């Protein structure tokens, strides 16, 4: 039968009925170890009891009012995000692309308010992924994503990732901001050279630009710190987060300093569903867990253990995996054979992983994954590598 869905995705032929922690179950009860993490969304795994309870309680009270009224959970989540970050103010959206769009509008308004409306261009990086709306597509400049959707929205300049000097050269009197992922997830878990974000921060300060971080994938503990930029000890002016913030409930947020958000006045931006009570209840519940004393230290320890067990796989001489990349639980293994063949072999063995650019498979377990489940994943990876090499 022809599907009624637009065929925009290439899907694995698998359907799941139930999830519990790091496991997914199909209707026959067959279990898979889920290291695809719903594309880096499942910060606390499937159906975490604290999130389920928060959502259930909210669902019995109030689902939606729209932003015509004050929303208690939204004010609370904004205050908590502000308290644990560089930001002073937050706008809630429903997805990563929308959070980035908000930031792109914000940087234009900032310069407009400051009497420099000619500063509207944003520098982005080769390999970047910021979403699938028209503006975020233009920011990413991925030719295959743009094919047939041109003309591309104007106002983006692109330079090689990790190259501060090339970025400096690209700055003109029209540049408003630099938009960058601290680690490029979709491009293949590309980690920039140490000091890259610090270099960009200095460049922004020298040139009066806003530093806009896309932490949609890296944020909310994925790299072992609440936000990945903390590893470099720099603070942005604007930041988009999404994925892990809702732990599977669609939500996103654009965070900014009060100075950067000067133009985001009443009526300047909006979203019917953004900051909806259900999403905010889950977002607050995610923070209850992730911000608990010692939680992120534990993530770093288990992630380091995972890396030490994965490294021999990437160093083996069968060339099934030839490079290990990443930070915390945003890890990538570059494959020798086509990654889809590797992913299929892993899926048949019961391990789900996510694909990425540069022939990389991403390993994105929940932050709550346990050592025994890490061992199980490493064993399945080793088994698949051996079978593929044979
Ligand atoms: N930015 C980054 C860094 C992402 O990884 C993604 C999604 O993968 C997005 C933005 C877009 O998020 P969404 O698909 O929720 O719109």
């Amino acid at each position: 039968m022809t599907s009624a869905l637009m065929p925009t995705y290439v899907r694995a032929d698998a359907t799941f009925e139930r999830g519990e922690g790091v496991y997914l179950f199909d209707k026959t009860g067959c279990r898979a170890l889920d290291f695809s993490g719903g594309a880096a969304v499942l910060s606390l795994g499937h159906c975490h009891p604290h999130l389920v309870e928060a959502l259930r309680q909210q669902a019995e009270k109030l689902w939606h009012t729209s932003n015509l009224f004050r929303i208690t959970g939204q004010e609370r989540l904004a205050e908590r995000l502000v308290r644990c970050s560089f930001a002073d103010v937050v706008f809630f959206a429903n997805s990563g692309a929308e959070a980035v769009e908000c930031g792109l509008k914000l940087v234009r308004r900032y310069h407009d308010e400051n009497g420099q409306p000619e500063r509207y261009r944003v520098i982005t990086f080769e390999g970047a992924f910021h979403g699938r709306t028209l503006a975020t597509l233009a920011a990413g400049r991925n030719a295959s994503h743009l094919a047939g959707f041109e003309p591309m929205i104007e106002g983006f300049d692109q330079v090689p990732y990790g190259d501060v000097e090339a970025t400096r050269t690209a700055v003109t009197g029209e540049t408003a901001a630099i938009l960058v992922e601290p680690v490029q997830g979709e491009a293949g878990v590309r980690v920039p050279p140490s000091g890259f974000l610090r270099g960009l921060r200095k460049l922004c300060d020298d040139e009066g630009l806003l530093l806009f971080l896309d932490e949609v994938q890296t944020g909310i503990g994925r790299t072992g710190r609440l936000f990945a930029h903390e590893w470099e000890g720099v603070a942005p002016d604007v930041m988009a987060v999404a994925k892990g913030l809702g732990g599977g409930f669609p939500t996103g947020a654009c965070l900014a300093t009060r100075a950067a958000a000067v133009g985001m006045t009443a009526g300047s931006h909006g979203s019917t569903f953004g900051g909806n009570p259900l999403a905010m209840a889950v977002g607050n519940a995610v923070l209850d867990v992730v911000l608990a004393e010692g939680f992120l230290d534990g993530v770093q320890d288990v992630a380091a253990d995972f890396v030490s067990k994965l490294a021999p796989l990437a160093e083996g001489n069968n060339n099934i995996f030839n490079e290990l990349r990443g930070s915390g639980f945003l890890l990538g293994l570059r494959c020798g054979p086509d990654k889809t063949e590797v992913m299929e072999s892993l899926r048949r063995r019961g391990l789900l992983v996510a694909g990425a650019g540069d022939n990389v498979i991403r390993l994105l377990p929940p932050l709550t994954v346990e050592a025994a489940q890490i061992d199980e994943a490493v064993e399945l990876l080793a088994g698949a590598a051996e079978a593929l090499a044979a």
Side-chain angles (χ1 to χ4, degrees), residues 164-189:
V164 178
E165 276 324 300
T167 317
R168 188 178 292 279
T169 307
V171 174
T172 70
E174 292 185 338
T175 308
I178 296 171
L179 168 60
V180 62
E181 296 157 84
V183 175
Q184 286 189 335
E186 300 298 313
V189 192

Side-chain angles (χ1 to χ4, degrees), residues 17 21 59 125 152-153 160 174 184 195 218 268 299 379:
E17 290 238 312
F125 294 88
M152 189 170 77
I153 298 222
E174 292 185 338
Q184 286 189 335
T218 53
S268 62
V299 170
E379 211 167 286

Side-chain angles (χ1 to χ4, degrees), residues 76-141:
R76 177 160 180 257
L77 185 54
E79 279 160 18
R80 295 175 82 189
L81 287 170
V82 161
R83 233 179 292 134
C84 63
S85 75
F86 70 95
D88 302 309
V89 285
V90 183
F91 178 89
F92 286 106
N94 310 287
S95 67
E98 283 177 67
V100 176
E101 284 268 354
C102 175
L104 291 172
K105 289 177 73 177
L106 180 152
V107 300
R108 287 190 176 193
R109 266 285 172 113
Y110 168 82
H111 290 288
D112 188 70
E113 283 285 326
N114 287 315
Q116 293 186 299
E118 72 282 5
R119 291 191 127 184
Y120 70 98
R121 305 191 70 83
V122 176
I123 298 176
T124 66
F125 294 88
E126 289 167 13
F129 183 72
H130 300 295
R132 297 286 201 143
T133 62
L134 286 173
T136 55
L137 276 184
R141 262 183 192 263

Side-chain angles (χ1 to χ4, degrees), residues 207-223:
E207 302 287 344
L209 312 175
L210 295 179
L211 180 60
F212 178 4
L213 295 186
D214 181 343
E215 292 235 22
V216 165
Q217 186 152 164
T218 53
I220 317 295
R222 179 59 46 197
T223 70

